[in-house]
Amino acid sequence: MAAEETIRAEATAIWDVRGVAATLLWDQQTALPAGAGEQRARQIAWAERALHERYRSDALGRMLEALPGEGDAASLARVLRHERERALRVPSELREELSEAAGLAQQAWVRARASSCFADFLPFLRRNVELRRRYADCFPELDDPYDALLDDYDPHARTREVALVLEDLKRRLVPLAGAVRGRTPEEPLRGPFAVERQRAFVAELLPAVGLDAARLRIVESPHPLTISMGVEDVGVTTRYDEANLDGVFLALHELGHALYEQGFEPAIADTPLAQGASASMHEAQARLFENLLGRSRPFWRFALPRLEAAFPEALAHVGLDDLEAVVNSVRNSPIRLQADELTYCLHTVLRFELERALLDGTLSPADLPETWAAKCAAYLGLEVDDDAAGVLQDVHWAFGAFGYFPTYALGNVIAVQLWEAVRRDVPGLDEEIADGRFDSLLEWLRERIWRHGRRLPADDLLRQAIGVDVDVEPYAAYLEAKFGAREVAAR
Ligand code: ZN
């Protein structure tokens, strides 16, 4: 076999192991019997160790030495080399421990969150933090231990640069959010919105926008997520509350992730190139569909009649103007997943600062709720009522996903850059969307972003797509224009 074919076969084998781990993970997140937590955590840890060892194998090392450097083969070599270099640093035992501890912590998190008791979760958090610190220690050459965690999500990203972006966002958004806080929010829509009808609405909406239903599953889980078990099998979850329609927006967020996962070109499917260029680029797709499309007037011209058909009583007197106002209302919530666009990034800044402090040891896990509350007051002007609405609200620190939070903020920034570019390139976009025609939007994103997967590093991909680097300015200007340029100008 030629070197390219050999490496391609190995890449597919690696990607199949990842698919097995992802399938177990999907099952863990969506369908696990209460008593099976430990067993499944062990099984996932085993699969992740197998993946880790495949990356570490001498055979892969020899193949990569022989691999020529052009086209997809070169991209594949770049991605495999990076994964391999990192895998070689981390002992397999530690890899397995990280995974198993995360699985157990997640089970504990579900219980602790249900009873709003941080103390029940604390030992698991301590263990996760300790293991992440050991993980970061495997990369002593990095300037900042947080770099090691960030790289798992945004390859080659550096904490120093990410921190500058987040500082910039904080500097601009804290005063803006403060100025807007005094306003009376829009009256929310009055339910009840029966869960089974929301479920049916979402099941029709997602394929109507462009997901391939034949390669899709949609179910419910405590934490909304998208897991690709392979390009032919993408799983999306959301959660519903009879009192509101938040679940629809959570589903629109996952829609963006799922479109990306379904959008990789067949030429790179079943290889490690079939993944988002970075977690930030992935979040950008999600936030674009959730907010920039999903809260736009043209979108609701298309979707409102369908929503009215699902909830004729609740929406009897709700017009397009009302709906647009409600879904764009400022809603300063202590819960990140319910936050409005304006305050959302501040939630991620808060978590980024806390997880950096946990990692470098300046914050003890036991002191997390207190520090959380202080930052929540300073950035959002909010008091935290209980642990479930505070430090226990997100799954990430249970799941072991330290380093992920900044990608939400970067995703917001990139989403606005992409949205402005697509609007420039497709002049009739609003009319098309209002008619339920999403082809131009999807084609633009597929052509420039989705189909390439990880062929290019994320920064290069963005530059190739829209000609510029990540830039906070369009996003900050968008929020200032939308939520109160007047107050800021008067400052
Ligand atoms: Zn997301």
Side-chain angles (χ1 to χ4, degrees):
M1 255 200 290
E4 253 179 61
E5 284 169 46
T6 312
I7 196 90
R8 172 79 193 208
E10 179 61 17
T12 300
I14 284 173
W15 213 233
D16 283 344
V17 178
R18 189 217 65 100
V20 169
T23 307
L24 286 169
L25 195 63
W26 171 259
D27 176 78
Q28 181 196 55
Q29 299 292 316
T30 60
L32 198 66
E38 283 187 29
Q39 193 176 68
R40 186 70 78 253
R42 215 171 52 234
Q43 291 163 344
I44 292 172
W46 178 86
E48 291 194 344
R49 179 176 178 153
L51 179 62
H52 185 75
E53 288 181 348
R54 198 102 197 190
Y55 275 122
R56 287 166 64 95
S57 80
D58 293 339
L60 178 63
R62 282 193 298 274
M63 286 178 216
L64 285 170
E65 276 169 27
L67 195 66
E70 281 183 354
D72 281 354
S75 298
L76 192 55
R78 189 194 85 246
V79 168
L80 289 171
R81 276 191 193 109
H82 186 62
E83 288 294 337
R84 177 174 161 76
E85 277 162 20
R86 290 176 59 77
L88 286 171
R89 296 297 194 82
V90 181
S92 296
E93 293 72 25
L94 177 57
R95 181 78 267 166
E96 194 168 345
E97 275 183 275
L98 282 159
S99 173
E100 194 169 351
L104 296 176
Q106 208 191 325
Q107 303 296 314
W109 169 78
V110 171
R111 292 190 300 270
R113 180 168 172 260
S115 56
S116 191
C117 181
F118 177 71
D120 288 350
F121 179 60
L122 181 58
F124 296 90
L125 178 66
R126 277 211 180 97
R127 171 91 176 129
N128 273 355
V129 169
E130 184 226 305
L131 286 170
R132 289 286 143 184
R133 293 178 70 173
R134 275 171 54 198
Y135 180 71
D137 286 346
C138 298
F139 304 90
E141 78 285 5
L142 294 174
D143 296 340
D144 188 316
Y146 194 87
D147 284 347
L149 310 188
L150 199 55
D151 197 291
D152 283 343
Y153 304 108
D154 279 12
H156 309 291
R158 288 293 172 260
T159 309
R160 188 168 15 89
E161 289 162 24
V162 168
L164 286 176
V165 172
L166 268 61
E167 268 302 314
D168 203 11
L169 285 172
K170 185 165 88 171
R171 187 178 53 75
R172 294 180 70 155
L173 298 184
V174 168
L176 182 59
V180 172
R181 205 170 296 139
R183 289 189 203 159
T184 315
E186 294 289 328
E187 271 296 306
L189 297 176
R190 271 186 218 284
F193 302 98
V195 166
E196 66 271 22
R197 291 204 213 162
Q198 292 195 53
R199 194 181 289 134
F201 174 75
V202 164
E204 276 189 27
L205 181 68
L206 271 44
V209 177
L211 275 180
D212 179 357
R215 297 186 285 151
L216 175 70
R217 359 177 171 190
I218 310 174
V219 300
E220 281 126 70
S221 73
H223 196 91
L225 48 82
T226 297
I227 294 178
S228 170
M229 288 152 276
V231 74
E232 304 297 335
D233 184 2
V234 175
V236 163
T237 78
T238 185
R239 64 181 188 217
Y240 301 108
D241 182 339
E242 205 173 71
N244 59 55
L245 292 172
D246 290 355
V248 172
F249 287 91
L250 296 174
L252 285 169
H253 179 96
E254 301 307 327
L255 164 69
H257 284 308
L259 283 166
Y260 200 178
E261 289 293 333
Q262 284 191 346
F264 305 130
E265 226 167 54
I268 59 166
D270 299 323
T271 77
L273 293 180
Q275 51 182 329
S278 66
S280 294
M281 188 60 83
H282 230 305
E283 288 304 332
Q285 314 310 308
R287 299 295 281 176
L288 189 152
F289 279 85
E290 175 190 359
N291 290 330
L292 301 165
L293 177 75
R295 296 181 201 277
S296 74
R297 188 174 179 89
F299 179 76
W300 284 102
R301 274 171 61 198
F302 153 75
L304 183 57
R306 287 166 166 75
L307 194 66
E308 280 169 347
F311 304 103
E313 311 85 22
L315 297 180
H317 304 290
V318 176
L320 188 56
D321 288 342
D322 306 317
L323 189 87
E324 191 188 8
V326 170
V327 302
N328 289 291
S329 175
V330 173
R331 190 167 54 160
N332 192 23
S333 167
I335 309 288
R336 178 180 62 87
L337 287 175
Q338 292 169 2
D340 53 60
E341 284 180 274
L342 174 56
T343 50
Y344 184 91
C345 272
L346 297 174
H347 287 265
T348 70
V349 170
L350 176 157
R351 288 154 177 77
F352 168 67
E353 292 175 351
L354 291 175
E355 62 185 12
R356 272 188 89 181
L358 285 172
L359 192 72
D360 70 21
T362 51
L363 174 64
S364 155
D367 298 332
L368 192 58
E370 199 181 318
T371 316
W372 179 291
K375 284 187 187 286
C376 202
Y379 303 165
L380 298 163
L382 288 170
E383 280 184 31
V384 180
D385 293 335
D386 58 26
D387 293 336
V391 70
L392 290 179
Q393 65 178 275
D394 286 314
V395 71
H396 301 61
W397 293 336
F399 197 61
F402 295 84
Y404 194 88
F405 282 116
T407 73
Y408 291 119
L410 293 165
N412 276 331
V413 168
I414 296 167
V416 170
Q417 292 185 274
L418 292 177
W419 185 246
E420 292 189 350
V422 69
R423 295 185 64 78
R424 269 196 307 274
D425 289 352
V426 185
L429 190 64
D430 285 352
E431 289 71 33
E432 290 186 23
I433 290 169
D435 288 347
R437 289 182 288 127
F438 298 95
D439 311 7
S440 301
L441 173 63
L442 266 56
E443 200 42 47
W444 192 96
L445 288 165
R446 189 178 297 119
E447 181 59 29
R448 285 166 180 75
I449 308 291
W450 300 343
R451 72 184 179 93
H452 299 296
R454 205 161 263 201
R455 269 186 185 132
L456 292 176
D459 289 348
D460 294 350
L461 180 67
L462 187 69
R463 213 171 295 124
Q464 177 180 292
I466 60 172
V468 291
D469 292 320
V470 173
D471 180 8
V472 169
E473 186 56 37
Y475 174 62
Y478 160 81
L479 289 178
E480 284 166 2
K482 182 165 180 173
F483 292 105
R486 193 165 41 84
E487 280 89 343
V488 169
R491 206 159 23 96

